[in-house]
Amino acid sequence: MAKLTKKQKVAEAAIDRDKLYGLEEALELVKAHATAKFDETVEISMNLGVDPRHADQMVRGVIQLPNGTGKTVRVAVFARGDKAEEAKAAGADLVGAEDLMEIVQGGQMDFDRCIATPDMMAIVGRLGKVLGPRGMMPNPKLGTVTPNVGDAVKAAKGGQVEFRAEKTGIVHAGLGKSSFTAEALKENVQAFIDAVMKAKPSGAKGQYVRKVALSSTMGPGVKLEIAELM
């Protein structure tokens, strides 16, 4: 493990590892210890009582954060003709069909979100091995396979966050920047937790949310009192 810096040691000492904090106090601590020279991302980690290897225990969804993420999101769109023009007008960074497929197959993945019109899925399907592992495969349930590409691009650029449980049942997401006000971060955190609660799968047994923690990119984790969040 990398050695802690002086600042990180101070931050670690200021936070009680065994204590469960209320959301407002947790956010104060996270903001106070986001002392890097860049605007750190405030991240959430939720340990869920699910095994995503079973189809009826998969957790995934999408949420439009009330205050955005503070991150510049690069969007690629698979579309032709009028729909390609609509995507460009909405601010898409990369737009194309077979030409875009070749770029991605060549290993150039200079984007954070991938959207496609339904008629493009035959092309996009060939990129499953490239896009799938990165969680970027367009999906109708997440609104990323849609004829309304303009709206989808604007949503992706405007603070929409996709989430899915990893193999161990953990959901991670960036929910804003340390420069955001505590109130803006609180609204984003609560909206995200509500979305994960709504995405509770039919096969989830026992306690659904087991642990929730917040941290900044370089800062220590702060555990949250789950009962208060629900």
Side-chain angles (χ1 to χ4, degrees), residues 92-185:
D93 299 277
L94 293 163
V95 182
E98 285 86 357
D99 53 338
L100 183 52
M101 179 185 75
E102 284 169 18
I103 289 169
V104 175
Q105 279 176 332
Q108 278 183 267
M109 297 273 292
D110 188 20
F111 52 87
D112 310 292
R113 189 71 66 86
C114 187
I115 294 163
T117 53
D119 61 312
M120 288 281 109
M121 287 313 290
I123 289 173
V124 177
R126 294 183 220 166
L127 299 170
K129 284 182 183 170
V130 187
L131 296 173
R134 289 180 168 88
M136 284 197 204
M137 195 66 185
N139 184 317
K141 287 181 186 169
L142 300 176
T144 44
V145 176
T146 173
N148 304 318
V149 286
D151 292 343
V153 170
K154 284 174 189 164
K157 293 263 187 188
Q160 193 184 64
V161 170
E162 282 183 22
F163 60 88
R164 66 181 293 164
E166 296 170 2
K167 284 178 191 167
T168 50
I170 295 175
V171 171
H172 290 286
L175 299 182
K177 295 289 184 181
S178 58
S179 61
F180 281 24
T181 64
E183 189 57 35
L185 286 168

Side-chain angles (χ1 to χ4, degrees), residues 22-29 182-183 186 228:
L23 180 54
E24 287 182 13
E25 191 184 357
L27 284 168
E28 275 176 30
L29 285 166
E183 189 57 35
K186 184 182 173 185
E228 181 209 307

